[in-house]
Amino acid sequence: MGESAKKILFVNAEMAPYLPGSRMATINRELLQGIQERKKEIRAFMPRYGLINDRRNQLHEVIRLSGMNIIIADVDRPLVIKVASISAARTQVYFIDNEDYFRRKFTYRDDKGNFFKDNGERAIFFARGVLETIKKQRWAPDIIHCTGWITQLLPLYLKKAYREDPIFANTKVVLSLFEDTPKEHFPENFAAAIPFGAIKPKDVLLGQDADGMELAKLAALYSDGVIMGSADVEADLVKWCEGLDVPVLAYDGASHEDGSYMDRYNAFYDDLLK
């Protein structure tokens, strides 16, 4: 990989083979290899949900990256970083872990289908955990590509809390939208728990009764480009993104069928970096 290779950081809610079963997870896995084959340098992050088996997936803790604490709502929580290798893609996947947030044997809902009350805090912890880990790695991404609702606070944090950090000074954010937008409302204290560093309450733009749609719109507002990853993204969200002053890559089912969507994504990255 030459020194001039552009660096793409994939921040995913789901990814095969660690959390298979959805089209999003499959696309996220395919992109790692496909974009690397198009001469980009890549890394990837996702949450280490409790239903991911460490032994089966050969995850191990990265001691040199673990040990940081992230404060949310005046509570200190340790950040644990694990890693696994995908040999076919010649890359490593890093996992954000914390005993309070990610050890339960479910992703976002309990066994009765109830949306976890702390999902908002989990999104805060995940986004900040990714950015703090990248800082510690001293790996400056040209683009951070966020996919899945739990990644959607990262654009705000990057643009408002981490922009002065030289690691992220030139980083662009791409947001992929799927049909995973939660219908549920987050707790009243969610918006108040988000501010960090230079972020002010007025930057958050979420009401006390914010739902997944408001979170997705907030993410798009702080992104440099939006990709429609599915034909089933809510029409109101698509229309709202198209009204922003950022490029939007429409969903193209045929390109997903024949695999050429990777060329479309790669060209989208290149256009943003011109």
Side-chain angles (χ1 to χ4, degrees):
M1 194 73 68
E3 289 184 359
S4 62
K6 297 301 182 183
K7 298 176 180 179
I8 313 296
L9 174 65
F10 293 99
V11 182
N12 299 325
E14 309 172 9
M15 188 172 67
Y18 309 108
L19 200 66
S22 72
R23 181 60 181 148
M24 181 200 300
T26 300
I27 289 173
N28 288 338
R29 168 61 184 86
E30 292 173 349
L31 278 173
L32 289 190
Q33 191 160 345
I35 297 303
Q36 181 158 262
E37 289 171 354
R38 286 156 179 79
K39 310 304 181 185
K40 302 288 196 296
E41 185 178 343
I42 62 169
R43 292 189 185 182
F45 279 79
M46 69 175 287
R48 189 274 183 195
Y49 305 103
L51 69 173
I52 296 175
N53 185 284
D54 284 4
R55 181 179 298 178
R56 183 181 309 122
N57 292 288
Q58 299 183 324
L59 271 67
H60 62 272
E61 185 176 349
V62 186
I63 302 299
R64 66 181 178 85
L65 296 176
S66 298
M68 293 179 281
N69 280 5
I70 292 178
I71 301 174
I72 301 175
D74 296 325
V75 178
D76 245 356
R77 288 185 170 84
L79 173 63
V80 176
I81 306 298
K82 295 185 177 180
V83 69
S85 297
I86 299 182
S87 56
R90 303 189 308 281
T91 194
Q92 293 180 314
V93 178
Y94 294 90
F95 295 81
I96 298 295
D97 197 6
N98 172 267
E99 185 170 356
D100 293 332
Y101 289 142
F102 294 113
R103 294 297 173 89
R104 62 201 73 168
K105 299 296 182 181
F106 306 93
T107 51
Y108 314 125
R109 293 175 173 81
D110 63 21
D111 55 353
K112 296 181 180 178
N114 298 311
F115 198 62
F116 290 126
K117 292 181 179 180
D118 64 350
N119 273 336
E121 290 187 10
R122 297 169 86 206
I124 294 170
F125 187 89
F126 180 60
R128 287 178 53 190
V130 169
L131 293 171
E132 289 292 341
T133 304
I134 288 296
K135 277 182 58 178
K136 203 165 186 178
Q137 290 178 321
R138 306 300 298 171
W139 191 80
D142 295 289
I143 286 178
I144 299 179
H145 187 162
C146 299
T147 304
W149 78 263
I150 202 170
T151 74
Q152 289 175 352
L153 284 173
L154 193 148
L156 167 64
Y157 281 122
L158 178 68
K159 294 301 179 69
K160 291 294 184 177
Y162 289 83
R163 177 52 70 196
E164 299 303 317
D165 191 294
I167 290 291
F168 302 111
N170 299 308
T171 303
K172 305 284 188 180
V173 185
V174 171
L175 175 70
S176 272
L177 294 173
F178 281 78
E179 63 275 15
D180 68 321
T181 303
K183 306 291 188 210
E184 293 89 351
H185 293 263
F186 294 99
E188 290 184 2
N189 64 350
F190 175 47
I194 293 171
F196 161 77
I199 297 177
K200 307 299 182 187
K202 64 182 179 63
D203 300 320
V204 177
L205 301 174
L206 292 176
Q208 289 190 338
D209 197 31
D211 60 9
M213 179 67 75
E214 288 184 61
L215 178 60
K217 290 180 176 180
L218 177 72
L221 186 64
Y222 285 102
S223 294
D224 298 289
V226 179
I227 294 175
M228 298 302 163
S230 166
D232 298 320
V233 179
E234 289 88 341
D236 178 58
L237 182 54
V238 174
K239 184 177 180 181
W240 194 86
C241 291
E242 290 173 343
L244 297 174
D245 188 24
V246 298
V248 176
L249 186 65
Y251 179 74
D252 180 354
S255 70
H256 281 269
E257 288 293 328
D258 63 20
S260 63
Y261 76 93
M262 289 199 206
D263 289 319
R264 298 181 73 229
Y265 282 36
N266 191 56
F268 193 74
Y269 299 152
D270 289 342
D271 286 344
L272 282 179
L273 295 174
K274 287 179 180 177

